[in-house]
Amino acid sequence: MDLENKVLSREIQTLLYESGKTLGTAESCTGGRIAEAIIATPGASEYFKGGIVSYTNEIKERLLGVSHEVLEEQTAVCEEVARQMVKGAINALNVDVAVAVTGIAGPGGGTKDIPVGTIWLAYGDANDIRTIKLEDDFGRDKNLAIATVTALQSLIDFLRETLPPKNEEEYL
């Protein structure tokens, strides 16, 4: 675990702990790296309920409720699947906020239409799910590291924007 992920994990802890909100993950290509980063900070059990590693379409459908039709028509590496993975994680894990990732980390598996390095990230709550598409291929390890850091930072940005502001008078 690198220092950057630990710093991001600490920021997530601060935001979620103070808000009382809970978090879950749904990961495909990152295979649990995002969850690992989140739990790097002691006390994560106060807000992190768990994660689902849905490496196959079967698990995406069965545990996260991702549409079979969407998987067939658009493949697992698309914006809609990432969105449905967030919804599925919120429902399956009974959390307020979730982050999800699906993509092709490489070195193989890419196609002309969906090349290696294509990774969709989604994050948000039941009413507001946002997405980011990564498209560059830097090799498997770097692709996964970039996806993990981007997911964590995007989650932080979302929480900062959507959580109620702290009442500074409480702390005086």
Side-chain angles (χ1 to χ4, degrees):
M1 175 78 44
D2 66 21
L3 180 61
E4 183 175 20
N5 284 353
K6 288 183 180 180
V7 169
L8 295 172
S9 175
R10 175 72 67 191
E11 179 67 18
I12 290 168
Q13 178 184 50
T14 299
L15 290 164
L16 289 173
Y17 189 79
E18 291 175 356
S19 71
K21 300 286 186 185
T22 55
L23 171 66
T25 60
E27 300 181 64
S28 187
C29 65
T30 49
R33 284 171 177 83
I34 296 168
E36 178 187 25
I38 291 166
I39 62 132
T41 302
S45 61
E46 293 293 322
Y47 52 87
F48 182 68
K49 285 194 173 183
I52 296 170
V53 176
S54 55
Y55 216 64
T56 65
N57 287 354
E58 172 196 357
I59 300 303
K60 286 176 183 70
E61 287 181 51
R62 194 158 44 95
L63 296 184
L64 295 171
V66 173
S67 162
H68 179 78
E69 291 75 24
V70 171
L71 288 166
E72 287 291 314
E73 293 170 12
Q74 299 182 41
T75 80
V77 184
C78 71
E79 182 177 22
E80 184 56 28
V81 167
R83 286 179 176 281
Q84 289 185 20
M85 288 172 69
V86 167
K87 288 178 189 173
I90 289 169
N91 292 330
L93 300 168
N94 190 29
V95 294
D96 300 304
V97 179
V99 60
V101 62
T102 184
I104 303 171
T111 66
K112 181 177 160 256
D113 293 330
I114 306 172
V116 170
T118 303
I119 299 174
W120 278 100
L121 307 168
Y123 53 94
D125 59 30
N127 300 311
D128 185 2
I129 298 173
R130 302 173 188 185
T131 60
I132 295 173
K133 183 181 184 184
L134 304 176
E135 299 183 83
D136 295 321
D137 180 18
F138 299 101
R140 182 178 184 80
D141 291 340
K142 188 75 170 166
N143 292 344
L144 293 173
I146 290 169
T148 300
V149 167
T150 304
L152 295 170
Q153 186 60 61
S154 299
L155 176 63
I156 289 167
D157 294 344
F158 176 82
L159 293 171
R160 284 181 180 155
E161 181 184 329
T162 61
L163 291 177
K166 290 186 279 189
N167 183 350
E168 292 183 22
E169 290 180 12
E170 290 178 18
Y171 300 101
L172 298 178

